[in-house]
Amino acid sequence: HASLNEFPAAVAACRAYLAAKPNDELAEGQLADLLAWSGDHDDALALYAKLRAKNPTDAKLQVRTAEALWRVNRRAEALD
């Protein structure tokens, strides 16, 4: 779905998967990415924060968080 820019369907599929497997951090990261790419930056940032609390040294999460912050003009936080 995501590769076809069908973000609502991709988000729905990811949420359905996570309902069955709520501790799948890879799927949570994919959901956060989908949310960010679809413009739902607040939910994406909340999910990135949750994931970063579990994995504070994960560079990919740090970059994705910074990208989402940049998109919502929270540039000082993005650069921090």
Side-chain angles (χ1 to χ4, degrees):
H1 294 292
S3 64
L4 299 174
N5 290 327
E6 296 175 354
F7 293 113
V11 167
C14 203
R15 287 188 193 278
Y17 175 83
L18 283 166
K21 299 190 184 271
N23 296 319
D24 187 329
E25 289 183 20
L26 179 60
E28 285 182 312
Q30 290 174 336
L31 176 58
D33 290 344
L34 289 167
L35 291 167
W37 296 333
S38 68
D40 190 350
H41 301 293
D42 290 335
D43 284 348
L45 285 167
L47 193 47
Y48 286 138
K50 175 185 170 187
L51 292 167
R52 286 184 65 205
K54 295 178 189 176
N55 303 294
T57 60
D58 186 319
K60 178 182 174 185
L61 287 173
Q62 293 170 357
V63 169
R64 296 286 200 228
T65 300
E67 290 171 342
L69 287 166
W70 193 267
R71 286 188 196 107
V72 294
N73 294 318
R74 292 168 56 184
R75 296 199 164 108
E77 288 176 78
L79 296 172
D80 192 19

